[in-house]
Each structure stands twice: as structure tokens, then as C-alpha cells.
Amino acid sequence: MAVSPSTHPRRLLPLFLGLFQGALLLFFALFVTYDEPSAQAEDTNLVANEVYNTFPFFQDIQVMLVVGLGLLLAFLPRYGFSALTHNFLLLNFSMQWALVLQGLLHHFHHGQVRLDLHKVLISEFAAVTVLISVGAILGRASPCQLLAMATCEIPVYLASEWLIVTCLGVLDVGGTITIHVFSCYFGLGVSKALFRAAKQPLHPKETPTARSDLMSLVGMLILWVFWPSFVAVPCHPGDAQHRAILNTLLAMSASAVTTVVASSLLERDGKLSLGHLQNGSLAGGVAIGAVADMAMPPVAALALGSLSAVVCVLGFSFLTPLLGRKLTLHDQCGIHNLHGLPGILGAAASAVAVLVASKDTSGSQSSLSPTGGNASEVIHGLQRGTAAARRRPKRRTLWGFDNLR
Amino acid sequence: MAVSPSTHPRRLLPLFLGLFQGALLLFFALFVTYDEPSAQAEDTNLVANEVYNTFPFFQDIQVMLVVGLGLLLAFLPRYGFSALTHNFLLLNFSMQWALVLQGLLHHFHHGQVRLDLHKVLISEFAAVTVLISVGAILGRASPCQLLAMATCEIPVYLASEWLIVTCLGVLDVGGTITIHVFSCYFGLGVSKALFRAAKQPLHPKETPTARSDLMSLVGMLILWVFWPSFVAVPCHPGDAQHRAILNTLLAMSASAVTTVVASSLLERDGKLSLGHLQNGSLAGGVAIGAVADMAMPPVAALALGSLSAVVCVLGFSFLTPLLGRKLTLHDQCGIHNLHGLPGILGAAASAVAVLVASKDTSGSQSSLSPTGGNASEVIHGLQRGTAAARRRPKRRTLWGFDNLR
Amino acid sequence: MAVSPSTHPRRLLPLFLGLFQGALLLFFALFVTYDEPSAQAEDTNLVANEVYNTFPFFQDIQVMLVVGLGLLLAFLPRYGFSALTHNFLLLNFSMQWALVLQGLLHHFHHGQVRLDLHKVLISEFAAVTVLISVGAILGRASPCQLLAMATCEIPVYLASEWLIVTCLGVLDVGGTITIHVFSCYFGLGVSKALFRAAKQPLHPKETPTARSDLMSLVGMLILWVFWPSFVAVPCHPGDAQHRAILNTLLAMSASAVTTVVASSLLERDGKLSLGHLQNGSLAGGVAIGAVADMAMPPVAALALGSLSAVVCVLGFSFLTPLLGRKLTLHDQCGIHNLHGLPGILGAAASAVAVLVASKDTSGSQSSLSPTGGNASEVIHGLQRGTAAARRRPKRRTLWGFDNLR
């Protein structure tokens, strides 16, 4: 936490990172191990199936975060290289830091921490919050400031996720609330804290050029393609995962077309704005996360995707200038429009879906339950229990025994 | 259909797209639903396996179409950004339009349309025809003209596919005839209709630069890598799919090397032409589609790949200038050389394969049958029945019950 | 072998490649066939599962080699286009050449060569050695010289791999020794042989620019993301493959962070060097290959990743200038620092792991055995037998019958 851009920032960065790596090695040496080798042939097959089921999703998410998000952030000319490297460094640091904290917090009382692909995936999700928050201060913060932010954000995220999912029992399979909304407001808070007084004029290297725009567009397309994997990986295998994939595909396709409509109507010359396209096309993916695995009709996914694209484009046109003027709030990449507003929309949709399901009396409550369990399970699930059900089956989903046979 | 570049083209595009999105929402609200949740645990496992078997292929194809094809088309400098966005918009619009039409045509008499990943995939294939046809008029048509073309092409494609596969019983697993040859001549027709009289001089922004060439080359490489997924996804799981992957790999590898040979010999300075490499390397993938899952010897795949690369390079060197001079036919990306000629070659190869198999009397007729069925099934299959067999097992292939156990 | 940059190099390249393609066709026509279609339904399911288990890994590796490595090599401005095309051409040529040689050498005495995805994968690994060696002479050798090198290197690689793995029984699942160390010193030898006397000044097109650096960085990130697939694909399914994925993830994550530390401390201005980042982040993946599937504690993977990044950065800072001065050895991409030094480190780690396991007397010798076999098997395995065990189960791993049930 002591990292601040003080006297010798050039040496602070390697010093801090070096000490962190040393502490990581120590922690792993003392506490972390792998699962025992499965003794029986049948177990081996189970592990094999789990690897084949989860690993392609995991690789998709890695491509999204390392290549897609890195290129998306590279829209500032003369900052493209730094955007890619900072994104890469922050992902690795945050993932390791989340691995350490999760090991300490959740598993310490069981003695040894048993590492598996599922735990790495959970840490990767934690790291995503940092990568989103960075969007608010991109190009203005030093690497040391970014690392300090990551160091603080990961424990706050873990606490807030525990509060929202485990205590309040909110259904949020795609991380709409726990990841997107949280990291948006965390990032805006950091931006406000760091650049409080400064009502800076537009920096010359903040004007995108044609070339940096092209790379950024490619990054958006990569994110758009692999987003269904991000939403679907924590779902129950089978129907729920199938539905999550389809809902995400529908929402993102509707987002893409609606963004073109909204942007063309709003821009004075009728031309499509690149910034709108880059963010609006992804807004559907943010909003659908909270409800992706619920048994809602397909039209709801389409409507949610369209609506979130409209909200995102309106946010860029009206809200961002307003926030900048009134609150001197600087939001470099417009994360409030991409993650904040669509996230709130998704949370509202999730509440509506739960209300609709609980009003419906003829046994259709189970329509919300991804496992198709009986009604008492589901009612329990909608309150307290779901949180536990969401957490624990998540583990079972990824590495459990109900996966194949 | 009323979309034409008339009085207010700037407002026509969002108006048309907005109305379309509204109609889509209405159609989905009235007619489309998901499958019932599978009640039993065994069913859940089946769905899970089907998701894991098909979804990685689906993601590969999405990468091909969104990133690979987008970058490939971005070879015109100052048009790279538009090429990527138009490609992205057209893919989404055409996919949604195909989803609506397929819902109306094929499933209306069953009442509710049950959406699944397989139906999305089929719509994606329909959208591919639009993306290919665009190549003929790239950089010369307005977004409204492109959307109008997509609106017309999807129903014509669905009709022609029904005619070719269901009525005529043509074996065409990789879409060589139904997708590549069809969309090539459709695109050339549109080009002729739109730019009939105009024997335009080369537009300055049509001369590729080193940078736009590099992006385009990366796009070709992405298409080259993921092409086997495109060909193999509709095949029967097991031997046929394995064979389709291997045949496509062999054909594309032979194409790549043969293109270098042919281009170096044809170009006056002995240098490899980038245009030749970009198209010739993919020609093998176009041609192999019609025969990929047939039990032909591996050498046939190699030979077909080499031959189609030669045909493609010869087409660029001799046929394209000839067509431009004689017929004033403008083919911006050379889709006739990449999709037309190799597609016809593949169709001819398919006919030869069927003839060889039917002449061979010693029970080897079954070598054509991907499922290894008995002879009577196969003979039936080569005529009328195969079409039905191709359609229906396709569904079974992707989501069916013979997939795992 | 007669290819040398002599009188008519412009015609030599297509002539040589054309003859090679003809010979390939002849070889395939005479000797290569596919497996018989599996007669029974159960067999079909087995083949299907094997395709679904291996094919995603295979596609990941194709992306690494064609897109990732191509872009990584494109860091020389005005050579980016050639780097991508030469890489693509060499991959295809070497893969075909390895397929021919493997067919001739290993399978000739069984009559027909039965082609499957596993054999293509093995040939792909052989082609990797050529792509690595090219790094030493990038931008200085003509295409003909590169092809001549590939023609020689593939048989030498196959012989050396047979010697190391089959005769000496070295455990090397990720190809640390057989691929990385071998191709590094082969490439350096070729560089020395080709540019013996010439102590050339820095060529102007060898100074990277901001744009070429960005593309190269994207290539590195693609390689970084998909590296676990490269290491894990030849492992036994189940625990060993799971462990290989996790070990590779940990090693590469530690490499990335440690590279930033080491590079920032070494560079005079405290800035991160792009060359260091590009190579150091991948060094962990090179080193971990030899031990990835062994049952060592997770901390060993982290430590090996960190150590290899430090060694790689030190190599760039001190060893490369020294080699250039003393031995007039030109190493364009620094393959000695990325593949040579970390490879030797990985080999040493492998020896240590074997020693630790063989000293440990309480039955934990089996901890080295990926299959969890009994002690006598393992002892045998560590000497002669493992080689055979590594070769044969590799086949079983990819296409075998112990895969699913």
C-alpha cells in the first residue's frame, strides 16, 4: 500500500514487484499444493473430461483479457504500446494477488491450499475488475499508481463479492453486478481521488488516429466474439450453459445493430461514431450477465441487448460531458457508459425476472433454477441459499462429479 | 426491399435497421422459445456434451468471420475501418434475418420455434454468403446498398440451398456449391447491376499500402488456421469429422505451397504477389468443402488443394483482366478467383468421387457414406435421400443423441 | 539440398517447391491412407471424443505458430510482410517434409501409412524447430536459404529426438530439450556458417519502429496465451494434463512479472525494454516444458518461471553483446536467450526433479510418473523404458482407448 509516486518512482516499481514475487514464492512454498493424483482409472477420466470441458472456455477468456482488452485500450496514439503492456502486467499481478488472498481467506482453515484450474479462473475474474477500473484513468496514471490501485481493489472486490453473492444471495452468473458495476464505480472513485482538482485540457496524445482506432476496433471484435465464453463458464453444464451461450449471443447481436441505429441518429452528420460502436456493441454482454442462465424467453435477451446499447450511446452523448462539467469527473474510456449503466440495467432485469418468477404460481418458479430443482429448493435459492448454491455448484460445475455421468 | 440510396440516405440506414430490430423483437416475442429444460440428469449430460462438442467449433467460425474476414477485407487503405465495421454489421444483420426467415419457413408449421445453437450456426452459414458477395463491390457500395443486398440474398440463398441439397440431393458438407459458388455469382451479378456502365478508373484509395497489406495478411492467416472448423462442424462426429479435418488441413497446406510456386512463376520479377498468396492459400479450403467427409485417399485432398491454388492464381493473372475488359465486370476482391473457380473445381471433384464410388462394385460404395452404412442406404443417399439425410443428421450431429454413447 | 543462392535464385525457389509438391503427391498416392472407418458405433464415439479432446489444442497451436510467431517475428520494419509470409511458407513446407520423413522412417515397415491428427501434430512439432532457428538469421537470409535450412533441419531433428527420447530416455513432455535447445543451437550454427566473416553494421531496416513493435507485442501475447496448449497436448489426459496446464500458467505468469522487475532494474533509465518483455515473458514456458507434467509442488513452477525470466534478461544484456564481439555470432532475435538458456535451465530442473524423486524412498517415486504407476515401472521409466513409454502413450493419449472410459 506504501506505493505512491514519490521520490524514486523509477525504482519503486521493480522493488515493489520484486518483493511481491518473493512473498508469492514463500506463500506457495508454505501453503499451496496440487490435488493428490487420482488413484483410479475412473477418476482419471473424470479429471480429463473436466479439463476438456473447462479449458477451451478458459483459453477464450485469456484471449479476451490479454489480446482483446489490450488492443481495445490501445486507442490512444503513442500510448498503444503502454496500454498493452500495462494491461498485461496488471492482469498477471492481480491474478497472483487474488490467488494469494483467496488462498489465505477461504482455504486457510483447511490447511493446504489445493490449486486447480477453477481457482485460477476465479482469480482471473477478480483481475478483470482491475482491468476495467483502469479504463477510467488510462494514460494519466503511472504504472506505480496502477499497481497501487490493483493492490487495493482486489481485497475490496473479494469482500464485496462475498457480501453480494454469499450474504445477500444475489443471482449474478456473469458478474454484471459483482464485476462490472463494482469496478466501474471503484475506477471512477480512483479517478476522482487522483485528478480531483485538475480540469485538464485534452492531452494531445489523447486524440485517436486512424491507425490506433483500427487496432482498438480489432480488440473490440475479439472481446465481442469470446464474450459468450466469459458469461457461460461459471454456469451449470447442460441446459443452463446452453441457454447462457444463446442469451449472450442474442443480446450482443442486438446490441451491435442497435448501436448503429442509435449512433447514426444521434451524431449530427449521420455517421457512425467509432467510440459508440466499440462500447455499445459490448453493452449487451455486460447487461445479460446477471440473467444469462435464467429460463427467460429469448426475446428478453434481445430486448435487454438493444436497451443497453441505447443506454450506452446516450451515456456517451449526454452523461459523460455532464459528469465532466459538473463533477470534474474524468472517465477516459467511458467505463461508466459501458460497465456502469448497462450493469445497473442488467441488475434491474435480474430483479424483474425474479419477481416475475415468484409471482407465477403454477410451478414455474423452478424456471429460474438452472438445475431444475424442486420449488422449495428454488425459493430457498432465491433468498439466502442461492448464494451458497451459486458458490458451491460453481465449483462442482467446473471440476465436479456431476459433469459427465 | 425499399432501401435504395435515394433522397436521405443518412437517415435511411438507421430507420431501416431500427424497424428491422423492432420486427425482430416482435417475431421473437410471438414465436421463439427455448427447449424445455431437460428433466433428467442423463439428458443434462447429453446437452452438456453437445455444448462442449459444438461450441469450440462455433467460436472458431465466429473468429473467422468477425476478425479474419474483416481484416482480410481491410486491404484498401482509408477503407480499413469501414471494411471491418460493415463486415461486422452485415454479419449481425444477415444472421438475424436468416434466423427470422428460417423460423418462418421451416418451423412455422410446428408452432413455436425452439432456438438452439444449431439454428444459430445455420443462420451464420447463411450470413457467410452475404459477406462473400460483398467482396465484389467492396469500397464502392454505400452501407444502404450493402444492407439491401443482404436483405435480398438471404432468402435467395435459402431457396437455392433447399433446391440444391434437398431437391437435387447434392453432397456438399462444406458449402462449396451452396455457399461459395452461389455467393460468388450473386455478388458478381450485383456488381454488374450496380456499376453497369461505369468503366471507372482505379480509385486512389484502392491502391493497397504496406500497412493495410499487413493487416489483410493477418486476416488471411486467421481464416487459414480456422478453416478446418468451418468445414468439419456439420459433419457426423467420429470418422467423418476426423477425415474432414485432415482433408482440409492437407488441402490448405498444399494450396499455400503451390500458390508460392505458381505466383513466383507467373509474376515477371519472380516475386510473390500478396494478392495471390491471400487468395490462393484459401482456395484449397473452398474446393475441399464438397468432398471433405468422403472416404477418398489423402492424396486426392492434396491434389485438389494444389489444383485449386493454380486455378486461383491463373484466374487473377488472366481471367480477371479479361472479364474487366470484355464484360466491364468489376470484381474488387477477386471473389471469382477465390470462391467461383475453386468452388466449381470442388463440385467437379465431388461428381468424380461419386462416379468412382458407384463404379466400384466390391462393396466400396459404402466408402462414400460417412456413417459407414450399408450399400442400399448409400445408393439411396447419392440420389434423393441424401439430402434429407444431410439435413436431418446435421441436426443430430450437432445436438443429437448419438453423439456420446 | 542443392538449393543455394546461386545463379537464378528467382527461379530456384518455385522450381524446388514445385518438385517437392510433386514428390509429396507421389509419396501420398503410393503410401498414405486413412484409418479404416470404424465399423462399430462404440468406435465412432471413441473417435469423436478423441477429436473433441485434441482438436481444440491443435487449433491453439496453429494460431500460435501461424499468427503469433509470425507477428512476433514482424518486428523489423519493412520486413514485417516477409516475416509473416516466410514463417507461413516454412511452416507448411516443414510440416509436409516431416510428414514424408516420418512416414518413410517410422511406418514404412508396416506397409501403408495411416494418417491421423496425431501424426500431423507430431509433424507440426518438428516444423517448430525450423521456425525457431529462423530467428537467428531473420532478415538476412534469402527464402532459398531458409528452405535449404528447413530441408536439412527436419531430418537432423528427427534423429536427435530419437536419440534423446528413445535412446537416452529423457523425460521432455514440452519439448524443452528436443525442440527449444536443439533448434537454438542449430540456428546459431547456421548463422555462424552463413555470415561467418561478415561483421556487418546494423542494417537500417533492423531498427524497430513503434508500429512494428506493436504488432510484435501482439504476437508475443498470442504466444503467451496459447502456450499451455502447446505444453499440455502430448500429456496423459487427466491429472498429468491438468498439472501441465497449471504449471505452465504459473511459470508464465511469474515470468511476465519477473521480466518487468529485471528489465527495469537493468535498463539505465529504469524503463521497461520491449525486447526483454517479448522474450522474458515466454522464457518460463520454454523452461517448464521438461517438467510440466511431473508431480512437483506448484512453487517449483513459479520459481522456474522467475529464474528463467532473469536468465533471459541477463542474456540479452550481457551475453548477446559478448557473443557478438568475441565470436562474431549474429543472433537476430536473441533465440539463445529465449530458447537456449531457459531450455538448459529447464533440463537442469528436470534432472533435479528426477534426483529428488529417486532419493525419496517412501514410495513417492511414483510422484514422477504421470500415470501413477507402481515403483518398478517408474524406475524403469526413468531409464530406458520411459522413452518408449513416452512415445507410445503419446499416441494413446491423443487417439487412444484409455481416453474416455
Side-chain angles (χ1 to χ4, degrees):
Chain A
M1 311 290 187
V3 180
S4 61
S6 62
T7 45
H8 301 299
R10 288 278 185 231
R11 296 294 167 210
L12 256 180
L13 179 74
L15 207 73
F16 173 73
L17 277 179
L19 285 175
F20 175 74
Q21 284 294 292
L24 183 78
L25 281 171
L26 196 69
F27 175 77
F28 265 70
L30 293 177
F31 302 121
V32 182
T33 182
Y34 287 129
D35 273 328
E36 291 295 305
S38 4
Q40 290 161 306
E42 205 181 320
D43 272 19
T44 301
N45 289 338
L46 280 169
V47 176
N49 283 317
E50 291 148 14
V51 172
Y52 298 130
N53 291 350
T54 306
F55 189 60
F57 288 94
F58 181 78
Q59 291 289 76
D60 287 356
I61 294 171
Q62 289 266 70
V63 175
M64 282 176 78
L65 299 182
V66 174
V67 184
L69 192 58
L71 284 176
L72 182 69
L73 295 180
F75 69 94
L76 299 177
R78 284 191 284 155
Y79 191 70
F81 172 61
S82 300
L84 273 170
T85 50
H86 290 167
N87 182 66
F88 180 59
L89 178 62
L90 279 176
L91 173 67
N92 279 293
F93 171 77
S94 307
M95 197 267 281
Q96 293 175 4
W97 180 222
L99 220 48
V100 169
L101 283 179
Q102 286 209 325
L104 284 172
L105 289 171
H106 290 281
H107 306 279
F108 205 73
H109 56 286
H110 300 106
Q112 290 288 73
V113 178
R114 302 203 173 279
L115 193 70
D116 56 21
L117 190 52
H118 169 256
K119 292 207 182 69
V120 178
L121 193 61
I122 295 284
S123 305
E124 199 103 338
F125 280 147
V128 171
T129 61
V130 175
L131 303 184
I132 292 173
S133 298
V134 162
I137 54 175
L138 187 78
R140 299 189 167 231
S142 70
C144 279
Q145 288 174 322
L146 294 176
L147 277 181
M149 191 186 80
T151 312
C152 301
E153 184 163 3
I154 296 288
V156 179
Y157 162 74
L158 291 176
S160 91
E161 203 236 2
W162 174 79
L163 192 76
I164 294 172
V165 174
T166 312
C167 294
L168 300 178
V170 172
L171 292 166
D172 186 18
V173 71
T176 296
I177 302 155
T178 52
I179 294 178
H180 292 286
V181 175
F182 165 77
S183 58
C184 163
Y185 290 105
F186 193 96
L188 291 180
V190 169
S191 171
K192 185 75 187 161
L194 282 180
F195 310 107
R196 196 184 307 259
K199 205 170 179 175
Q200 290 142 321
L202 198 68
H203 199 278
K205 75 175 180 183
E206 286 175 21
T207 325
T209 62
R211 193 180 64 72
S212 64
D213 270 354
L214 194 68
M215 298 304 281
S216 181
L217 187 62
V218 172
M220 182 279 275
L221 295 176
I222 292 174
L223 285 172
W224 191 87
V225 164
F226 290 115
W227 205 286
S229 299
F230 183 79
V231 172
V233 70
C235 295
H236 268 266
D239 284 321
Q241 201 159 36
H242 188 191
R243 218 161 35 225
I245 289 170
L246 289 171
N247 278 330
T248 312
L249 283 170
L250 289 177
M252 301 202 78
S253 194
S255 271
V257 175
T258 308
T259 300
V260 175
V261 176
S263 177
S264 304
L265 287 177
L266 276 176
E267 292 288 295
R268 207 159 291 135
D269 56 355
K271 269 197 173 172
L272 177 63
S273 149
L274 176 64
H276 292 175
L277 185 70
Q278 277 174 342
N279 291 280
S281 304
L282 300 176
V286 171
I288 200 72
V291 293
D293 62 342
M294 295 182 183
M296 56 186 197
V299 69
L302 279 177
L304 191 59
S306 285
L307 205 59
S308 56
V310 170
V311 164
C312 176
V313 170
L314 288 176
F316 269 101
S317 298
F318 302 111
L319 197 60
T320 299
L322 198 78
L323 288 179
R325 267 202 315 277
K326 299 280 172 186
L327 303 178
T328 63
L329 190 60
H330 192 77
D331 181 5
Q332 183 72 52
C333 300
I335 58 170
H336 190 243
N337 307 311
L338 173 51
H339 301 280
L341 297 176
I344 293 169
L345 200 69
S350 160
V352 170
V354 170
L355 285 175
V356 168
S358 60
K359 269 187 190 162
D360 196 342
T361 51
S362 58
S364 76
Q365 277 176 326
S366 67
S367 67
L368 263 183
S369 159
T371 47
N374 60 44
S376 73
E377 263 183 65
V378 176
I379 290 167
H380 189 60
L382 291 182
Q383 296 147 17
R384 220 8 247 272
T386 307
R390 270 291 324 287
R391 286 280 90 184
R392 257 174 292 133
K394 208 165 177 178
R395 200 186 178 290
R396 282 167 64 219
T397 301
L398 293 169
W399 292 111
F401 287 78
D402 59 348
N403 212 340
L404 252 204
R405 102 184 34 218
Chain B
M1 312 288 186
V3 181
S4 60
S6 63
T7 45
H8 301 297
R10 288 276 186 232
R11 295 292 167 214
L12 255 180
L13 178 75
L15 207 74
F16 172 74
L17 276 179
L19 285 175
F20 174 74
Q21 283 295 292
L24 183 78
L25 280 171
L26 196 69
F27 174 78
F28 265 70
L30 293 176
F31 302 123
V32 182
T33 181
Y34 287 129
D35 273 327
E36 291 295 305
S38 4
Q40 291 162 304
E42 205 181 320
D43 272 20
T44 301
N45 289 338
L46 279 168
V47 175
N49 283 317
E50 290 146 17
V51 172
Y52 299 129
N53 291 350
T54 307
F55 188 60
F57 288 95
F58 181 77
Q59 290 289 76
D60 287 356
I61 294 171
Q62 288 267 70
V63 175
M64 282 176 77
L65 299 181
V66 174
V67 184
L69 193 57
L71 285 176
L72 183 69
L73 295 179
F75 68 95
L76 299 176
R78 284 192 284 156
Y79 191 69
F81 173 62
S82 301
L84 272 170
T85 51
H86 289 167
N87 182 65
F88 180 58
L89 178 62
L90 279 175
L91 172 68
N92 279 293
F93 171 78
S94 307
M95 198 266 282
Q96 294 174 5
W97 180 223
L99 220 47
V100 169
L101 284 179
Q102 286 208 325
L104 284 172
L105 290 171
H106 290 280
H107 306 279
F108 204 73
H109 57 285
H110 300 106
Q112 290 289 72
V113 179
R114 303 201 174 281
L115 193 70
D116 56 20
L117 191 53
H118 170 256
K119 293 207 182 68
V120 177
L121 193 61
I122 296 285
S123 306
E124 197 105 338
F125 281 146
V128 171
T129 59
V130 175
L131 303 185
I132 292 173
S133 298
V134 162
I137 55 176
L138 187 79
R140 298 189 167 230
S142 71
C144 279
Q145 288 174 321
L146 294 176
L147 277 181
M149 191 187 80
T151 313
C152 302
E153 184 163 4
I154 296 289
V156 179
Y157 161 73
L158 292 175
S160 91
E161 204 236 1
W162 175 80
L163 192 77
I164 295 171
V165 175
T166 312
C167 295
L168 299 178
V170 173
L171 291 166
D172 186 17
V173 71
T176 297
I177 301 155
T178 52
I179 294 179
H180 291 287
V181 175
F182 165 77
S183 58
C184 164
Y185 289 105
F186 192 96
L188 291 179
V190 170
S191 172
K192 185 75 189 162
L194 282 180
F195 310 108
R196 196 183 307 259
K199 206 171 179 174
Q200 289 140 323
L202 198 68
H203 200 277
K205 76 174 178 183
E206 285 176 22
T207 325
T209 62
R211 193 180 64 72
S212 64
D213 270 355
L214 194 68
M215 297 305 281
S216 182
L217 186 62
V218 172
M220 181 279 275
L221 294 176
I222 292 174
L223 286 172
W224 191 88
V225 163
F226 291 115
W227 205 287
S229 299
F230 183 79
V231 171
V233 71
C235 295
H236 268 266
D239 284 322
Q241 202 159 35
H242 187 190
R243 219 162 32 226
I245 289 171
L246 289 172
N247 277 330
T248 312
L249 282 171
L250 289 176
M252 300 203 79
S253 193
S255 272
V257 175
T258 309
T259 301
V260 175
V261 176
S263 177
S264 303
L265 287 177
L266 276 175
E267 292 289 295
R268 207 159 290 135
D269 56 355
K271 269 199 172 171
L272 179 62
S273 149
L274 176 65
H276 292 174
L277 184 70
Q278 277 174 344
N279 291 281
S281 303
L282 301 176
V286 172
I288 200 74
V291 293
D293 62 342
M294 295 182 183
M296 54 185 198
V299 69
L302 278 177
L304 192 58
S306 286
L307 205 59
S308 55
V310 170
V311 164
C312 176
V313 170
L314 288 175
F316 269 101
S317 298
F318 301 110
L319 197 59
T320 298
L322 198 77
L323 289 179
R325 266 203 316 277
K326 300 279 172 186
L327 305 177
T328 63
L329 189 61
H330 192 78
D331 181 5
Q332 184 70 54
C333 300
I335 59 170
H336 191 243
N337 306 312
L338 173 52
H339 302 278
L341 297 176
I344 293 169
L345 198 69
S350 161
V352 169
V354 170
L355 285 176
V356 168
S358 60
K359 268 187 190 161
D360 197 339
T361 51
S362 58
S364 75
Q365 277 176 325
S366 67
S367 68
L368 262 183
S369 159
T371 47
N374 60 44
S376 75
E377 265 183 63
V378 177
I379 289 167
H380 189 61
L382 291 181
Q383 294 148 19
R384 225 359 251 271
T386 307
R390 268 293 320 287
R391 285 283 89 184
R392 259 175 291 133
K394 208 165 179 180
R395 198 186 178 291
R396 282 169 63 219
T397 301
L398 292 169
W399 293 111
F401 287 78
D402 58 348
N403 211 340
L404 251 205
R405 100 182 36 221
Chain C
M1 312 290 183
V3 181
S4 59
S6 61
T7 45
H8 301 299
R10 288 279 185 230
R11 296 292 168 213
L12 254 181
L13 179 75
L15 206 74
F16 173 74
L17 277 179
L19 285 176
F20 174 74
Q21 283 294 292
L24 183 78
L25 281 171
L26 196 69
F27 175 77
F28 265 70
L30 293 177
F31 302 121
V32 181
T33 181
Y34 287 130
D35 272 328
E36 291 295 305
S38 4
Q40 291 161 304
E42 205 182 321
D43 272 20
T44 301
N45 290 338
L46 279 168
V47 175
N49 283 317
E50 291 147 14
V51 171
Y52 299 130
N53 291 349
T54 307
F55 188 60
F57 288 95
F58 181 78
Q59 291 288 76
D60 287 355
I61 294 170
Q62 289 266 70
V63 175
M64 282 176 77
L65 298 181
V66 174
V67 184
L69 193 57
L71 285 176
L72 183 69
L73 295 179
F75 69 94
L76 299 176
R78 284 191 284 156
Y79 192 70
F81 173 61
S82 301
L84 273 170
T85 50
H86 289 166
N87 182 65
F88 180 58
L89 177 63
L90 279 176
L91 173 68
N92 279 293
F93 171 77
S94 306
M95 198 266 282
Q96 294 175 4
W97 180 222
L99 221 47
V100 169
L101 284 180
Q102 286 209 325
L104 284 172
L105 289 171
H106 290 281
H107 306 279
F108 205 73
H109 56 284
H110 300 105
Q112 290 288 73
V113 178
R114 301 203 174 280
L115 194 69
D116 56 21
L117 190 53
H118 169 257
K119 293 207 182 69
V120 177
L121 193 61
I122 295 285
S123 305
E124 199 103 339
F125 281 146
V128 171
T129 60
V130 175
L131 303 184
I132 292 173
S133 298
V134 162
I137 54 175
L138 187 78
R140 299 189 166 233
S142 71
C144 279
Q145 287 174 320
L146 294 176
L147 276 180
M149 191 187 79
T151 313
C152 302
E153 183 163 4
I154 296 288
V156 178
Y157 162 73
L158 292 176
S160 90
E161 204 236 1
W162 174 80
L163 191 75
I164 294 171
V165 175
T166 313
C167 294
L168 299 178
V170 172
L171 291 167
D172 187 17
V173 70
T176 297
I177 301 155
T178 52
I179 295 178
H180 292 285
V181 175
F182 165 78
S183 58
C184 163
Y185 290 104
F186 192 96
L188 292 179
V190 170
S191 171
K192 185 74 189 162
L194 282 180
F195 310 108
R196 196 185 308 259
K199 205 171 180 172
Q200 290 141 321
L202 198 68
H203 201 276
K205 76 175 178 183
E206 285 176 23
T207 324
T209 62
R211 194 181 64 71
S212 65
D213 269 354
L214 194 68
M215 298 304 282
S216 181
L217 187 61
V218 173
M220 182 279 275
L221 294 176
I222 293 174
L223 286 171
W224 191 88
V225 164
F226 290 115
W227 205 285
S229 299
F230 183 79
V231 172
V233 71
C235 294
H236 269 265
D239 284 321
Q241 203 159 34
H242 187 191
R243 220 161 31 226
I245 289 171
L246 289 172
N247 278 329
T248 312
L249 282 171
L250 289 176
M252 300 202 80
S253 194
S255 272
V257 175
T258 308
T259 301
V260 175
V261 176
S263 177
S264 302
L265 287 176
L266 276 175
E267 292 288 294
R268 209 159 291 136
D269 56 355
K271 270 198 170 170
L272 179 63
S273 148
L274 177 65
H276 292 174
L277 184 70
Q278 278 174 343
N279 290 280
S281 304
L282 301 176
V286 172
I288 201 72
V291 292
D293 63 341
M294 295 182 183
M296 55 184 197
V299 68
L302 279 176
L304 191 58
S306 285
L307 205 60
S308 55
V310 170
V311 164
C312 176
V313 170
L314 288 176
F316 269 102
S317 298
F318 301 111
L319 197 59
T320 299
L322 197 78
L323 289 178
R325 267 202 315 278
K326 300 280 172 185
L327 304 177
T328 63
L329 189 60
H330 191 77
D331 181 5
Q332 184 70 54
C333 300
I335 58 171
H336 190 243
N337 307 312
L338 173 52
H339 301 279
L341 296 176
I344 293 170
L345 199 68
S350 161
V352 169
V354 169
L355 284 177
V356 168
S358 60
K359 269 188 190 161
D360 196 341
T361 50
S362 58
S364 75
Q365 277 177 326
S366 66
S367 67
L368 262 183
S369 159
T371 47
N374 60 45
S376 73
E377 262 183 66
V378 177
I379 290 165
H380 188 61
L382 291 181
Q383 297 149 15
R384 228 355 252 273
T386 308
R390 269 291 322 288
R391 286 282 91 185
R392 259 175 290 134
K394 208 167 177 178
R395 196 182 182 292
R396 282 167 66 216
T397 300
L398 292 168
W399 293 111
F401 286 78
D402 58 348
N403 213 340
L404 252 206
R405 99 184 31 223

